Amino acid sequence: MARRAMSLLPRWSSRVFLVDLDGAPLYFGIQEEHWEEKAPRVFRQFQKQDKYYSLLVCSRDRIKGAKFYAELKDKLLRDLPSGCDLTTICSFLPNVRDSLIKGYFLKSNTENSPQIERLLSQLEQHDPVLVCSYSEGEDEQWTQHLWSRAESKATASAKQYYLVSSDVPSYHPSTLNIINSDVFYSFDEAYDVLKKCSDIIPEAMSVLEKLPSRVKARRKPDFPVIVIEGLDATGKTTLTESLRDTLGATLLRSPPQCLSPWRACFDQEPPLIRRAFYALGNYITAEQISQEGMKTPVIVDRFWHSTAAYAIATAVSGPLCNLPSEGSEVYRWPSDLFQPSLVVLLTVDPEERKRRLRGRGQGETDEEQELDHNQLFRLRVEEAYRRISGPACVTVDASPSADLVLQQVLLLIRGKCHL
């Protein structure tokens, strides 16, 4: 068994599991003794004639683990026999930061089980995965069988645990691993990820060469810096260009133009690597702000709010109540990143935003497609925007004409920034 898996075993019976079954999060725990407790709801709807398995990615190297987790799904979809259902599973220690491990949950009929167990055995022998199988006993009690490297398949000698119901945690377990995995709070943390993956992603070194020096502290700009945030098609481009012309300001964008050659590459990477790339883009933009802000006011089209809000909303599935509460450290501004004078969040009615997107006739990013098709995702993004502090966003309704929105924002700038 992989060393990472072995390190988990001393606390294995304390862990909680979450299976995403048809979009419904279902939790269960395990225990070593049989207390005649009913099986968790997730298993009561399963059929005794079917077979169930889970694979948890337990790599000590989080870069390689993130890559393997993404590649594992493709391998399973390619190699599993037809009729096998695949969904996600994760395991965590309640309220313990960085304890989340992710994987996949499989359901199959008995006929396909020999082929599946051969595949899982090969994975367990050579890759950083922890494999479990699940079965129902005569007393309708479900058990989890923890495979060991010595096992070619789940057998009676494998470590056995009894499945029990578990309380739903206060917040989605993915929040346990958000800090410096989905959202980065320092230059050094994001830099470290790209540095460590440069041997497997050559483009990472090109990105690192674009980064500003961290040797000396930057002066605070003499002129105000105003960030305009919002979903696509809320009018950011029109407003930022109008503010540039009206105020005689410099217009910057995040991620910066210098990273454009590598965006397509990093958009295909797992969240850990992709989010580190975009986090570092904010530090490049901050360097540009420090230079241009000595000469003119600076308008920035998106900044750290966007990077964090989309990452949080993607990592945390389900309704708004799954988000960390207001005031959580997840929403804090990075201590080493420049803080703008004012952040304006543009909002429009969802139907109006869709109409504007259709009018553009442009292709959408994966996240934009998710915004259009998943109302809960859009609501999570908007709420994450609102909860980020240091500075917080000032919300402006961008539904009126562009001229009226410009005048409203100019009033805010004059009141806050004295321009």
Side-chain angles (χ1 to χ4, degrees):
M1 189 177 298
R3 285 183 298 170
R4 167 65 171 161
M6 288 293 290
S7 70
L8 293 173
L9 289 179
R11 300 192 68 183
W12 186 251
S13 59
S14 300
R15 302 187 74 86
V16 175
F17 299 80
L18 165 60
V19 177
D20 185 7
L21 196 66
D22 296 327
L26 298 167
Y27 294 86
F28 68 92
I30 56 175
Q31 60 189 28
E32 296 191 46
E33 302 295 330
H34 185 191
W35 292 346
E36 298 183 355
E37 183 176 341
K38 283 187 177 181
R41 182 164 58 93
V42 63
F43 287 96
R44 285 181 229 159
Q45 55 192 289
F46 288 175
Q47 303 298 317
K48 184 177 290 190
Q49 64 268 25
D50 290 331
K51 296 287 187 177
Y52 303 92
Y53 310 90
S54 63
L55 301 86
L56 292 168
V57 178
C58 302
S59 174
R60 284 186 178 275
D61 185 325
R62 65 175 186 153
I63 304 294
K64 293 179 180 178
K67 293 279 287 183
F68 180 78
Y69 175 74
E71 294 165 357
L72 178 59
K73 182 177 182 180
D74 293 336
K75 178 176 179 60
L76 292 172
L77 290 174
R78 182 182 68 247
D79 295 345
L80 287 171
S82 59
C84 181
D85 294 335
L86 179 69
T87 188
T88 57
I89 188 173
C90 67
S91 174
F92 60 97
L93 294 169
N95 302 316
V96 177
R97 183 172 156 181
D98 294 330
S99 66
L100 184 77
I101 50 178
K102 299 191 295 184
Y104 299 99
F105 189 81
L106 315 177
K107 182 184 81 169
S108 174
N109 56 44
T110 305
E111 181 181 344
N112 290 330
S113 62
Q115 180 180 348
I116 291 174
E117 293 189 0
R118 282 194 299 271
L119 172 62
L120 298 187
S121 178
Q122 292 170 1
L123 289 170
E124 200 273 342
Q125 290 284 327
H126 305 291
D127 293 307
V129 295
L130 187 61
V131 179
C132 298
S133 56
Y134 301 83
S135 61
E136 183 182 16
E138 295 299 326
D139 56 358
E140 299 184 349
Q141 174 65 55
W142 281 82
T143 53
Q144 176 195 76
H145 302 269
L146 186 62
W147 291 20
S148 70
R149 180 159 287 198
E151 304 293 337
S152 60
K153 62 179 181 177
T155 66
S157 61
K159 183 67 176 178
Q160 176 177 286
Y161 297 88
Y162 294 93
L163 272 56
V164 295
S165 299
S166 175
D167 293 335
V168 176
S170 300
Y171 304 109
H172 196 278
S174 61
T175 61
L176 298 171
N177 284 35
I178 280 182
I179 294 177
N180 294 324
S181 289
D182 292 287
V183 184
F184 289 86
Y185 297 86
S186 76
F187 175 91
D188 291 339
E189 289 284 355
Y191 180 93
D192 186 59
V193 170
L194 254 64
K195 180 69 174 176
K196 287 180 177 177
C197 71
S198 59
D199 59 334
I200 55 176
I201 307 175
E203 293 84 353
M205 190 55 66
S206 299
V207 174
L208 296 178
E209 292 171 356
K210 294 290 183 180
L211 296 176
S213 169
R214 306 297 293 168
V215 175
K216 59 181 181 179
R218 302 302 177 192
R219 277 184 56 194
K220 184 178 180 180
D222 294 333
F223 288 86
V225 178
I226 298 96
V227 174
I228 307 299
E229 293 280 7
L231 307 181
D232 280 2
T234 53
K236 293 189 308 303
T237 300
T238 300
L239 176 61
T240 53
E241 292 177 351
S242 297
L243 289 172
R244 175 196 60 193
D245 298 340
T246 304
L247 300 174
T250 299
L251 174 57
L252 300 174
R253 290 183 171 85
S254 187
Q257 183 65 31
C258 66
L259 293 187
S260 294
W262 304 291
R263 286 187 67 177
C265 167
F266 282 93
D267 281 344
Q268 301 305 311
E269 294 297 333
L272 173 68
I273 299 170
R274 184 170 72 250
R275 301 303 183 187
F277 168 78
Y278 282 107
L280 291 173
N282 287 322
Y283 287 94
I284 296 176
T285 299
E287 175 74 5
Q288 296 171 343
I289 290 171
S290 70
Q291 295 172 1
E292 298 299 327
M294 299 300 176
K295 301 175 287 187
T296 67
V298 178
I299 308 299
V300 188
D301 186 340
R302 286 188 167 171
F303 198 38
W304 191 80
H305 280 78
S306 287
T307 308
Y310 277 88
I312 293 168
T314 302
V316 181
S317 62
L320 291 181
C321 62
N322 283 349
L323 290 173
S325 60
E326 292 188 56
S328 166
E329 60 180 339
V330 167
Y331 303 116
R332 63 179 168 84
W333 191 270
S335 59
D336 62 351
L337 183 64
F338 168 80
Q339 293 187 16
S341 313
L342 174 67
V343 181
V344 175
L345 174 62
L346 301 181
T347 62
V348 296
D349 177 81
E351 292 305 316
E352 169 63 13
R353 199 182 73 85
K354 286 183 179 181
R355 186 190 65 78
R356 294 181 183 184
L357 282 171
R358 287 194 295 269
R360 290 180 176 185
Q362 298 175 346
E364 295 180 313
T365 64
D366 290 344
E367 285 181 336
E368 277 301 317
Q369 291 177 356
E370 184 71 4
L371 283 170
D372 282 349
H373 298 137
N374 189 332
Q375 181 185 16
L376 283 176
F377 178 63
R378 177 179 58 78
L379 292 174
R380 292 197 304 272
V381 172
E382 293 176 340
E383 186 59 30
Y385 265 126
R386 295 186 180 99
R387 293 185 183 185
I388 294 171
S389 60
C393 293
V394 178
T395 302
V396 170
D397 181 7
S399 300
S401 68
D403 285 341
L404 287 175
V405 174
L406 173 62
Q407 294 308 313
Q408 186 176 354
V409 174
L410 285 172
L411 284 174
L412 284 172
I413 293 172
R414 286 165 184 154
K416 175 74 174 177
C417 307
H418 310 294
L419 279 179

